[in-house]
Amino acid sequence: MVTSAEAAEPHSGLAPQARPDAAARRAVVAARLHDVVQRGELSLLYQPQVDLRSGATYGVEALLRWHSPELGSVSPTEFIEVAEQTGQIVPIGDWVLRTACAQAAAWRRAGLGHLRVSVNVSPVQFAQGDLAQQVQSALLGADAEPGMLGVEITESMLVADVAKAARALHALRAIGVQISLDDFGTGYSNLSVLCTLPIDVIKIDRSYVHDVTAAPAQVSITRAVITMAHSLQMKVLAEGVETEGQMALLVANRCDAMQGFYASPPVRAAEIEARWREPSRLPAKYFSSVPRQRTLLLVDDEESIIAALRRLLRRGGYQIVTANSGAEGLQRLAESEVDVIVSDQRMPGMAGVDFLRRAKQLYPDTIRIVLSGYTELQSITEAINEGAIYKFLTKPWEDDLLRANIEEAFRQKEMADENRRLNREVRTANQELAAVNLRLQETLDAEHERLSLSERRSTSALEVLRCIPVPLIGVDEDGMIAFVNHDAEALLVDCGPLLGRDADQALPESLLPMLRLPNGETADLALGALLCRCSSRTVDAGSGSHCRLIIMVPRGECVSPA
Ligand code: C2E
Ligand code: MG
Ligand code: MG
């Protein structure tokens, strides 16, 4: 799988924060953009668009790249804005269209089928009013068919002048190119307008792409957008899919297609061609419900029976594979993915039920039917009881009945396949949830450990303070006694328990001036017969509150006046 780091491309240019002057930078970019098409500095990369039912790439988005000899690689998000401001986007956009059409035609010639290439169209090109003509001319010039091209427009193009936008889109639709609404959800789209426009695909912005760890409300929004688009007969493509979890959630919510680093970053045309010829790199388990052609295996040693069955079932739309013996039947099963098997019972070499028993062991998901003129009750009953046979049908058969039985067998198979797929999905989602829960638990445990450590530290610090051999009293902002150490308790033993009491009421009168003494000042005072040097400190108690610490250092007995 491709990671987002792998996908990162070098867009050097100057980083925005390093630019001394954004206006000067824009002027440089605008100047360098002049005649950029003629100088051959532009190129296109292509990012695969993947069908979420089959996992196959059905199209690509063409993404413009500019490599300037002076500025290096400049990001499209930077230079396209400048090109739009200066009008240079018109020749650039035309070049993009022509190059994309030529590439689509080249891919068709190279045998890549109808790989659709979608191009981004700027509001400036759109506003010019002759986009359909431009598209037509590009298709003709490249000898490409309209079905190979798509255009991506943005919501802003629909807001300015809806009637004009509708005319332009209908003209494009008349040609036959696919129309996608890009970055859906980032701009202002009036839904009542949207449903009147000929839009084929809604590309939901990556901010709507979540995985199983997302809040349910976020997932509900994505699901609502998909449902809304489907009810307007539009397809939905999710942009910026970076993880398997995101893709799994989109598959579960019936999103039609995706694009993003998880499937592939934007790559060169040659790379698209190479990937087209390789099997999909995406995990197959998500796409097993893909409607593929139903496959029926007919096994009978009599050629005439096989021929008659073929004729009878020809119109059923099945792919039919045949074998003249059980051994050959096993060979066919290894070659193709068979859904339903219809086998004769009496065949030389291997009896039908024995063949179906082997088939059950090797391919348990197949639906197995015996079609026989001989009713060897014992062996047939045994095979049915073991589950090796789904149905026993007799020769000569009634055409309609046999057709109905085979059709029913395919339905059974597809229902079972769908159940297996859903089971796998639920299992994957559960595993991911369990992993998330585990991570959460680890975080909580670490936090708990941190808190208990800091609690142990504060308890020790408090104990140290309590044992300091100098009387200390702490008074909080509300005038409440918050701390008394052992020496203070001994010194003020006559006052009773002090902790939690109002300092003004609990402390001896002689000590009260200390509560109002400016920070850091010292005063001598008598506490009973003892002379103390007291000082007061304002201490930061955290969270912006302060507390006052009174320190009393005994200096000796008071000397009574002679
Ligand atoms: P966009 O049309 O929405 O194209 C998708 C952007 O997302 C591309 O950026 C693509 O490289 C990036 N991307 C793809 N997958 C992922 C992913 O999984 N995660 C993240 N974070 N990003 C992903 P890029 O190529 O830099 O293009 C930016 C924008 O520039 C495009 O957004 C489009 O609006 C504009 N642009 C690109 N080429 C053209 C063009 O030929 N003509 C016009 N008018 N605009 C273009
Ligand atoms: Mg786009
Ligand atoms: Mg986009």
Side-chain angles (χ1 to χ4, degrees), residues 456-482:
R456 282 199 300 275
R457 282 199 191 119
S458 357
T459 311
S460 314
L462 207 60
E463 207 36 51
V464 168
L465 270 180
R466 289 172 67 79
C467 295
I468 286 181
V470 174
L472 300 173
I473 295 178
V475 178
D476 71 14
E477 275 187 336
D478 299 327
M480 205 74 104
I481 300 176

Side-chain angles (χ1 to χ4, degrees), residues 49 61-63 118-121 151-154 180-183 203 239 259:
Q49 296 178 326
E61 177 177 4
L63 291 161
S118 294
V119 297
N120 290 284
V121 168
V151 293
E152 295 194 0
I153 57 161
T154 54
S180 302
L181 184 60
D182 207 351
D183 306 333
K203 292 188 75 175
E239 292 190 90
Q259 186 182 334

Side-chain angles (χ1 to χ4, degrees), residues 86-406:
T86 59
Q88 284 154 319
I89 194 69
V90 175
I92 292 177
D94 192 52
W95 177 87
V96 171
L97 260 175
R98 287 177 191 284
T99 310
C101 287
Q103 187 57 65
W107 277 330
R108 186 201 44 197
R109 285 194 299 277
L112 270 67
H114 278 59
L115 191 65
R116 193 195 304 273
V117 183
S118 294
V119 297
N120 290 284
V121 168
S122 149
V124 178
Q125 283 171 282
F126 198 69
Q128 286 224 319
D130 62 349
L131 187 61
Q133 243 176 318
Q134 219 183 324
V135 165
Q136 185 79 281
S137 142
L139 286 168
L140 280 173
D143 189 23
E145 287 158 30
M148 300 173 184
L149 186 70
V151 293
E152 295 194 0
I153 57 161
T154 54
E155 291 176 80
S156 63
M157 301 186 197
L158 308 178
V159 177
D161 183 344
V162 179
K164 193 172 167 195
R167 274 198 302 280
L169 293 182
H170 280 290
L172 282 172
R173 166 59 74 79
I175 298 175
V177 299
Q178 188 185 65
I179 301 169
S180 302
L181 184 60
D182 207 351
D183 306 333
F184 180 76
T186 56
Y188 163 87
S189 267
N190 185 332
L191 288 183
S192 62
V193 170
L194 211 60
C195 65
T196 65
L197 296 173
I199 292 167
D200 302 293
V201 180
I202 284 195
K203 292 188 75 175
I204 43 177
D205 187 68
R206 62 171 158 272
S207 50
Y208 291 87
V209 171
H210 310 291
D211 66 12
V212 285
T213 58
Q218 290 180 311
V219 181
S220 301
I221 293 175
T222 313
R223 191 178 302 131
V225 174
I226 296 171
T227 310
M228 182 267 310
H230 285 166
S231 65
L232 297 177
Q233 313 303 320
M234 297 170 187
K235 296 246 182 262
V236 184
L237 180 148
E239 292 190 90
V241 178
E242 295 184 352
T243 65
E244 181 176 340
Q246 291 172 342
M247 184 188 73
L249 209 63
L250 290 166
V251 170
N253 284 304
R254 308 242 171 271
C255 184
D256 302 283
M258 71 161 187
Q259 186 182 334
F261 295 156
Y262 180 62
S264 165
V267 293
R268 295 192 187 289
E271 176 78 22
I272 293 285
E273 208 170 316
R275 282 175 187 224
W276 178 268
R277 303 189 192 285
E278 291 169 4
S280 168
R281 300 177 184 188
L282 300 170
K285 60 182 178 184
Y286 297 105
F287 312 112
S288 48
S289 68
V290 179
R292 47 174 201 88
Q293 204 182 5
R294 294 166 154 192
T295 302
L296 174 67
L297 170 62
L298 300 174
V299 187
D300 203 306
D301 57 327
E302 283 183 60
E303 276 295 352
S304 59
I305 299 276
I306 295 261
L309 287 174
R310 258 190 190 283
R311 271 198 306 281
L312 174 69
L313 301 167
R314 200 173 39 208
R315 289 192 212 290
Y318 316 123
Q319 181 191 345
I320 299 179
V321 285
T322 61
N324 294 120
S325 65
E328 216 183 293
L330 290 172
Q331 178 69 30
R332 296 287 166 277
L333 284 170
E335 290 161 4
S336 26
E337 199 180 326
V338 170
D339 302 295
V340 175
I341 308 173
V342 176
S343 172
D344 184 23
Q345 161 64 357
R346 273 229 175 150
M347 293 183 288
M350 195 188 293
V353 287
D354 295 327
F355 159 62
L356 292 178
R357 251 190 213 108
R358 296 277 291 276
K360 179 187 178 233
Q361 283 164 356
L362 295 168
Y363 310 96
D365 299 342
T366 49
I367 304 276
R368 298 163 297 273
I369 297 173
V370 172
L371 179 65
S372 173
Y374 301 91
T375 44
E376 294 142 305
L377 213 52
Q378 173 85 29
S379 56
I380 299 284
T381 321
E382 272 173 23
I384 290 181
N385 289 344
E386 287 165 26
I389 298 177
Y390 160 71
K391 266 198 180 148
F392 177 82
L393 304 173
T394 50
K395 282 182 192 164
W397 61 82
E398 244 182 70
D399 285 358
D400 287 346
L401 201 61
L402 180 59
R403 264 200 297 257
N405 270 304
I406 291 179

Side-chain angles (χ1 to χ4, degrees), residues 480-492:
M480 205 74 104
I481 300 176
F483 174 78
V484 187
N485 75 347
H486 296 317
D487 275 23
E489 276 167 0
L491 182 66
L492 302 172

